[in-house]
Structures are given as C-alpha cells and as structure tokens.
Amino acid sequence: MQTQAGDFMAEKNTFPLGLIRFGYNGTNVSIISANEYYYGLFGMTEEEYFSLKPDEQGFQIVFASNVTENIDSMADIIKKEAEPEEEISFYFRARNKNKEAIYIGINARLAEEKDGTFIYDACAYGIDWIVNRLTNYDKLTGLPKIHIFNTVAMSYMNNADEDDKFAVISLDLNNFKLINEKIGAEKGDKVLTELGIELDSAVKNRGCCCRIFSDKYIVFVKYEKEEDIKVNTEKLIEKYTAKRRNEFDNCNFSISVGIYFIENPEQVDITIAIDKANIARKNAKTAQNAQENFCVVYEEEMKTELSRAMQITAEAERAIYNREFIVYYQPKISLKGEYIVGAEALVRWLKPDGTIVPPGMFLPYLERSSFIKEVDFYVYDEVCRFIRNELDNGEKVIPISVNVSRLHLKDDDFISRVSEIVGRYQIPQQYLEFELTENAFFDDEQRAVQILKELRDKGFLVSIDDFGSGYSSLNLLKTLPVDILKLDRTFFGNNDLKENNAIVVTSIIDMANQMKISVICEGVETLEQVEFLKDTECNSVQGFYYAKPIPAEEFQKFKRSFEISESN
C-alpha cells in the first residue's frame, strides 16, 4: 500500500517543516531519514542527532488524537490506531541540544509495509516556533508586530552615529472597509499584503515597518534629506494606489500619510514618535477628506492631540471624585455545561450629562499619563463593594477578574494597596482574579512573575491576559505561577479559524491542561468558534456570542438566569 506524504504535508508549508520517515516493526519505532529542518528543531545536525542514545531520541508523548488511554511512546500510538491508513497526529516533549524542553507536533501517514515493518512519512513542526511566528509577526503581511517594531526602532536610535537622522511614517488606506466590501475579503487581504511588501522593500536595511492593525501601517526609516523622505513617500503611494485603481476600476484607492522627523534620537521614546506621526496622518486625512493621496509633516501646532490627553487626565481625576466611572461585567461561560463561572470587570465613563465615553476614548490617554493606576484601584474598590453586597444578600458569588496595568509593576506598594481594599470589604480572596497582560513580561519579566507569585500566595486567582499577543513562549508558561490562561482574540482572525491558528489554539490548550492551568478564550463571537473550543477541551469562553459587557444590575439578572437554567 503506497501513499504520497506530500499531499497532506503541503498544507503546512507556511512554516519551516521537518520531514521524516520512520519505521515500526511491531515493537519499536526508529527514524529512517529526515530533512535538515527536523534536526533543526532540536538545534542539532544529523550527525549530532544520531549520536544520541536511542532512549535520548525517544519522545514523551503529551497528547495524541484518537487515543484516550495512557501512552508513553510513538509505538503506543501506532498500536492503538484502528486504521493505520489514517493520519496520526500527536505532540511530544523532547530535549534540544541545550537540554531544554521543546514541544513538537507530528502528523504521520502510513506509506508502505515492507518485510513486516510499517513505514510512515511524517511532517514535524515546532509548536513554539508557530506561536512565536503568529504572535510576533502579522499573519497576513509577515511584517513584525508593533512590539518588535518598537524594539528594532529603538535599537537603531540607541546605536546611531551623531549625524544619523530618522523619521517615522504613519499610513492609512482611506475608506478601506468600504473597498473591502466591494472587492471581497480575499482580494482585500491581497491589497494589504502588497502594501506591506512595498513598504518593507522601500526601507530595506534602513529601518523597519509594521501593520499596526487593519489598514494602518507604521514605518521607521533612516534618511539623509527631509525633502527626499516626503518626495519618495509620495511617489511610492502614488504608484501603489494607481496600480490598485487600474486593478479595481470601481474603487477609489487613496492613502493618508503623516511624517514625523525625529529630533534628538537618543532622547526620544519611539511610542511618542509614533503618536506624532499618527497626529500628522490624521491631519492629512482631514485635509483631503480621505479622497486622494495626501502627505503631512508633523508640526508642533498639532499638539492639540497631546493637549487632549492632558485634558482627559484632569477630567478623569474629577470623575473619580464624582464617581463617574462605572463597572460593567462581561460573563465567562463554562463550555462543559454552558453555565456562568465568572466575569471580567471593565470600566466605563458615565458623564453627568448621561453620555458614556467609550474605553478607547480615554483609557489610552490615561495609560500614557499613568493615571490608569488610580482608575484600576477605583475598579478594585467597586468590584469588592459589589462582591460584598452579593455575599450580604445571599447571592451565589462567582470570581470577578480585574485588569492589572503593566505600570503597577513599577510600584512597590501595589500588593499592599490591593490587600487594604480587600481587607476593608472582608472579601474571600478566591473571588478575585487579577489579570496581567502578556506584554507586561516584555517590559519586566522578573517583576511580573514576582507580582503574580505574591498575589497567588495571598490566595487570589491570577491569570495571563491576551496570551498570544506578543511575548508567547510555552517554556515561559511552564515557569509562571498562574491559574488561568486567556487566549488572545487575534487567534480567531475575522471570526474564523485558519488552519495554523487552529493548530496553535489546540496545542496551547493541550499544554495548559497538562499543566493544570485553566484556559479561557476571549473574543468568542460565533457558534463555529464555540463548537471548535468545545472539541479542544477549552474550559470556558468570554465574548459577544454569550454576552457583551453589562452594568452590575443587568449582570445580576443574567447570572440568575444562567443559574436557573443550570438547575433545570
């Protein structure tokens, strides 16, 4: 019986793929041959790999499809397979050249039977590599994500010569949402990808670029003359949009551009430079009503946006005093029985005139001014008050999660202030869960781990929020003192699951379950996502499919309705 391994391997050619052939003689499994990528997963050459003892080449299986019994080796999996023609999928833990634990996924299919030995063709892929690729690089364009972009840009400036000059360019495809609806998502993705290619090619060896989100890009580039930057940028976008107009004659393609020429690179924070380029880009968009290409250079008079940040911070201080911030709760739903198991506390700003300020209109500003820390403590106080009332009224109490800004990592009194609030309301610690975003580990991993450990030691639940948004590492996960892992919504893309994303989601959930870490997926909006996550044994979900964030009174009614449904 002969099959072609390439048929099913070809589907996974978007990342370095180890190809192996192994034999099973009824007792043992031995590798016959492999390509360089397979040995590379172990950080070894072919000679180094085969110099290992047989037991050192062995695998410790942590998960296998279609196998429910305990398994210790690849041979166990093959023996359990009822139909060897089917593809065998499993993950194993091994050691690389540095004796570090690594996780590898395998898809194998029977190729032939020869002299009593079953020969399998298989593909192997490093799960850490996939997670790194999907979380550090934009899956559509292949460009680095913003945290990588920031690191590269700062490196350029920190190592610059005295005469080196740099600029940040912000670009936005105007009215792209409407264009995307006209030409379709597939062609729309092609438009975005090709813009990324053009930008990356333009700055090669002189800087870097990234797609921040949707149709917005940021470029960091070294230059010699300011006028050249503006002229060359205008030429690039004119050439690009003209090509798109010819390709799609029913669409008016145009790009708004903002440029900020960095002064004193050694003293500039790249995020501030990006903010100024964005301000210039928004001015460009307004100036031409987003109907044609337009490029604007940042000027100090554009500081209105920065003044706005200061104004919002001042208003926020008064808002806390006047109790204008209110807490909304978004339920978390168990997938094992579809009952409520918790909620996340999210802040909203209700002004005296009755208008609600969306979080995106004030939280980013407060994050920059550090006042977000005081808003966090305000939320902690409100949540503890809510839980205390629930306890006093005999209601069923479920854990409520609250966000921890990465700015708290710099404060030595964070834990003591949390303990004071909880003690004042006499709240059992197990009803509070503290969520620290994954990106906080990028700023100060040691301090982030310390905060988690101290919170957990005091009896609080702790979780990693937005896992997969930029610093993911399965090896890091093994060292973290966490109870809950929240998978980032970016894994679901446009409300669907691509093959690579499904592999990563399944793999992370498998690993977390092995480590006794509960997994919740946020941003769940469709039945397809819910059914997929049920199959992966994900513990719970959070998202608009079940409920949007709602005020405390509505949340209480929602909770009671789920409790009644569960009891029935």
Side-chain angles (χ1 to χ4, degrees):
M1 182 168 48
Q2 190 87 28
T3 61
Q4 291 296 321
D7 293 342
F8 70 96
M9 292 180 183
E11 298 176 3
K12 300 180 175 63
N13 61 5
T14 55
F15 45 86
L17 203 60
L19 300 180
I20 62 174
R21 169 164 280 214
F22 62 84
Y24 171 62
N25 62 10
T27 305
N28 298 314
V29 171
S30 59
I31 291 181
I32 299 170
S33 63
N35 69 354
E36 60 180 313
Y37 286 122
Y38 179 75
Y39 304 119
L41 293 174
F42 296 83
M44 300 178 187
T45 64
E46 179 179 1
E47 291 75 20
E48 288 172 330
Y49 181 83
F50 281 106
S51 69
L52 298 174
K53 298 177 182 178
D55 60 331
E56 292 177 329
Q57 296 177 15
F59 314 128
Q60 181 180 354
I61 310 299
V62 294
F63 171 79
S65 62
N66 305 325
V67 181
T68 57
E69 299 89 343
N70 291 330
I71 50 178
D72 296 316
S73 68
M74 197 187 302
D76 287 336
I77 294 175
I78 295 172
K79 285 188 289 186
K80 300 294 182 185
E81 284 292 320
E83 298 181 13
E85 296 85 3
E86 291 184 0
E87 183 178 336
I88 304 170
S89 299
F90 60 93
Y91 309 104
F92 69 83
R93 182 166 54 242
R95 297 283 174 181
N96 62 15
K97 187 175 181 178
N98 298 323
K99 305 300 182 184
E100 298 168 333
I102 57 174
Y103 294 89
I104 294 176
I106 291 284
N107 282 344
R109 181 179 290 168
L110 184 63
E112 61 179 319
E113 181 182 350
K114 187 176 182 180
D115 299 328
T117 297
F118 294 95
I119 307 298
Y120 285 81
D121 285 328
C123 61
Y125 48 90
I127 294 172
D128 266 353
W129 190 95
I130 302 173
V131 173
N132 173 70
R133 185 69 192 176
L134 288 175
T135 57
N136 290 329
Y137 294 87
D138 179 35
K139 63 183 178 182
L140 179 64
T141 65
L143 297 175
K145 290 190 177 180
I146 186 64
H147 64 283
I148 299 295
F149 172 90
N150 289 346
T151 300
V152 172
M154 289 302 297
S155 177
Y156 266 100
M157 292 191 290
N158 291 337
N159 294 285
D161 293 333
E162 185 176 353
D163 296 332
D164 287 345
K165 293 179 286 187
F166 303 95
V168 173
I169 306 171
S170 175
L171 304 95
D172 180 6
L173 269 165
N174 299 320
N175 299 319
F176 182 72
K177 183 177 180 180
L178 295 176
I179 292 173
N180 201 44
E181 291 175 355
K182 284 185 178 181
I183 65 177
E186 184 176 350
K187 291 179 180 178
D189 286 349
K190 182 174 179 286
V191 167
L192 295 175
T193 300
E194 291 181 351
L195 178 55
I197 292 172
E198 292 284 348
L199 295 174
D200 189 48
S201 177
V203 302
K204 202 165 188 178
N205 300 322
R206 295 186 298 124
C208 57
C209 57
C210 79
R211 184 173 74 121
I212 298 180
F213 61 89
S214 186
D215 54 358
K216 294 176 176 57
Y217 297 76
I218 288 288
V219 175
F220 174 87
V221 63
K222 181 181 176 181
Y223 71 93
E224 294 183 0
K225 297 180 181 180
E226 288 187 2
E227 57 267 27
D228 290 344
I229 285 290
K230 192 170 188 294
V231 169
N232 291 337
T233 300
E234 289 174 339
K235 286 182 178 178
L236 185 150
I237 63 173
E238 185 57 42
K239 178 182 177 181
Y240 174 82
T241 53
K243 184 178 180 181
R244 298 287 83 77
R245 292 189 199 107
N246 289 333
E247 187 177 359
F248 306 102
D249 54 12
N250 62 333
C251 297
N252 181 26
F253 281 87
S254 66
I255 298 178
S256 297
V257 180
I259 301 175
Y260 172 63
F261 294 107
I262 297 174
E263 301 173 0
N264 303 317
E266 69 281 358
Q267 300 176 13
V268 171
D269 186 321
I270 187 61
T271 58
I272 294 176
I274 292 173
D275 285 345
K276 292 184 176 181
N278 284 336
I279 291 171
R281 186 250 306 158
K282 291 174 184 176
N283 275 265
K285 203 178 187 81
T286 303
Q288 291 298 316
N289 197 27
Q291 294 302 310
E292 60 183 81
N293 297 325
F294 201 66
C295 184
V296 170
V297 175
Y298 176 84
E299 297 177 357
E300 287 302 312
E301 289 76 13
M302 297 176 185
K303 281 187 175 179
T304 304
E305 186 75 6
L306 300 180
S307 299
R308 172 69 174 156
M310 296 175 64
Q311 177 187 352
I312 287 178
T313 300
E315 291 178 1
E317 292 178 7
R318 292 192 295 271
I320 280 187
Y321 180 81
N322 296 328
R323 303 189 64 79
E324 294 175 18
F325 289 114
I326 57 176
V327 177
Y328 276 43
Y329 298 86
Q330 186 170 33
K332 301 176 183 178
I333 308 299
S334 169
L335 291 180
K336 298 187 184 302
E338 293 203 337
Y339 54 89
I340 188 167
V341 292
E344 181 180 6
L346 300 163
V347 67
R348 299 292 184 266
W349 189 347
L350 179 62
K351 291 207 166 185
D353 62 0
T355 60
I356 296 180
V357 184
M361 296 296 292
F362 66 92
L363 289 180
Y365 295 108
L366 300 184
E367 187 83 16
R368 293 174 197 164
S369 68
S370 298
F371 193 73
I372 189 67
K373 294 188 292 185
E374 296 308 312
V375 175
D376 279 352
F377 284 118
Y378 178 92
V379 171
Y380 302 165
D381 190 281
E382 290 296 293
V383 169
C384 286
R385 187 196 307 273
F386 174 83
I387 294 175
R388 182 69 264 164
N389 288 337
E390 292 278 273
L391 290 168
D392 292 343
N393 293 330
E395 297 280 351
K396 181 179 178 181
V397 180
I398 54 178
I400 305 295
S401 63
V402 294
N403 292 293
V404 179
S405 169
R406 57 191 177 86
L407 298 178
H408 288 297
L409 301 182
K410 301 176 182 178
D411 296 335
D412 294 331
D413 65 345
F414 173 71
I415 298 295
S416 62
R417 288 189 66 178
V418 167
S419 299
E420 187 276 325
I421 294 173
V422 174
R424 181 160 19 104
Y425 288 98
Q426 293 296 295
I427 301 298
Q429 283 85 345
Q430 69 266 27
Y431 292 138
L432 271 179
E433 173 191 332
F434 288 88
E435 296 185 2
L436 190 61
T437 61
E438 186 191 34
N439 283 335
F441 295 88
F442 188 80
D443 293 336
D444 190 342
E445 179 183 330
Q446 184 176 358
R447 177 61 176 159
V449 171
Q450 180 185 347
I451 288 289
L452 291 180
K453 187 175 186 304
E454 289 182 22
L455 287 169
R456 205 162 184 240
D457 288 345
K458 288 185 174 293
F460 299 109
L461 296 170
V462 295
S463 60
I464 301 299
D465 193 14
D466 294 336
F467 187 84
S469 62
Y471 192 71
S472 292
S473 167
L474 295 177
N475 281 327
L476 173 67
L477 180 60
K478 293 189 302 178
T479 67
L480 295 179
V482 298
D483 303 291
I484 300 160
L485 190 69
K486 293 188 74 173
L487 287 189
D488 183 64
R489 69 186 69 237
T490 57
F491 283 120
F492 297 112
N494 298 321
N495 292 334
D496 61 354
L497 282 163
K498 304 298 184 183
E499 180 184 12
N500 286 354
N501 288 24
I503 291 173
V504 174
V505 171
T506 302
S507 302
I508 292 175
I509 292 173
D510 290 337
M511 302 303 166
N513 287 337
Q514 289 289 325
M515 300 172 195
K516 309 302 182 185
I517 298 175
S518 180
V519 178
I520 178 171
C521 287
E522 57 184 340
V524 174
E525 298 181 359
T526 67
L527 177 62
E528 178 190 13
Q529 294 169 351
V530 171
E531 295 300 328
F532 167 79
L533 292 170
K534 284 181 179 179
D535 291 340
T536 64
E537 296 187 356
C538 177
N539 302 97
S540 52
V541 296
Q542 175 184 340
F544 279 20
Y545 180 78
Y546 285 103
K548 64 181 181 180
I550 49 181
E553 185 175 346
E554 289 184 40
F555 172 66
Q556 288 175 318
K557 294 178 181 178
F558 183 94
K559 181 164 65 76
R560 290 174 192 139
S561 70
F562 258 79
E563 291 168 0
I564 293 171
S565 297
E566 181 192 356
S567 64
N568 289 342

